[in-house]
Amino acid sequence: GLGDVYKRQVKKVIEVEPMPGMAKGVGLVVEDRDEQELYTVHICPIAYLSKRNMGFKNGDKLVLRGCFVDMDDEEIIMAAKIKIERNGKIIKVRLTSNGKPFWAMSEEELKRELSATE
């Protein structure tokens, strides 16, 4: 499920198009710290990101919660929650319980989720 935890390192920050015609999103190319394999991570739409500067840097070590999803014959990681080890910053973009994206929530729901500590 979306609660699976992966330790990854940022190779670069990229723009992703989840599906043709969908709003462009923010993504990462990350490397598996053990297997040195590269994966693409989909985080959120760019419009959502601009409100909350995420501040990823190349080389950042991440603890990533999310799940693998097949998209266009590629396995991507759909991020739910990301912790940047360098500064302890936690970025939440989807509920780990049901995958609901934060950008699809009402302001009230969003406030509640962002103020909730885990």
Side-chain angles (χ1 to χ4, degrees), residues 24-44:
K24 293 219 180 321
V26 176
L28 297 172
V29 174
V30 296
E31 185 176 62
D32 184 302
R33 292 194 223 168
D34 301 321
E35 299 157 27
Q36 273 78 59
E37 234 180 295
L38 294 179
Y39 297 94
T40 300
V41 180
H42 285 216
I43 302 172
C44 65

Side-chain angles (χ1 to χ4, degrees), residues 1-3 9 18 21 24 27 32 36 38 40 45-46 50 67 73 80-81 83 93 97 102-103 107 109 112-113 116:
L2 273 165
Q9 188 160 3
K24 293 219 180 321
D32 184 302
Q36 273 78 59
L38 294 179
T40 300
I46 288 171
S50 64
C67 64
D73 299 328
K81 190 165 122 181
K83 180 176 181 180
V93 289
S97 56
F102 282 18
W103 56 91
E107 281 299 314
E109 275 181 294
R112 196 169 55 236
E113 286 307 326

Side-chain angles (χ1 to χ4, degrees), residues 8-14 26-31 33 43 49 53-63 82-89 91:
R8 300 287 189 261
Q9 188 160 3
V10 176
K11 285 295 177 195
K12 67 177 182 195
V13 180
I14 57 168
V26 176
L28 297 172
V29 174
V30 296
E31 185 176 62
R33 292 194 223 168
I43 302 172
L49 169 83
N53 180 18
M54 296 187 179
F56 295 109
K57 290 187 167 68
N58 290 356
D60 270 349
K61 289 184 166 67
L62 307 176
V63 178
I82 302 169
K83 180 176 181 180
I84 303 175
E85 290 187 357
R86 168 173 51 86
N87 55 16
K89 186 172 180 180
I91 294 144

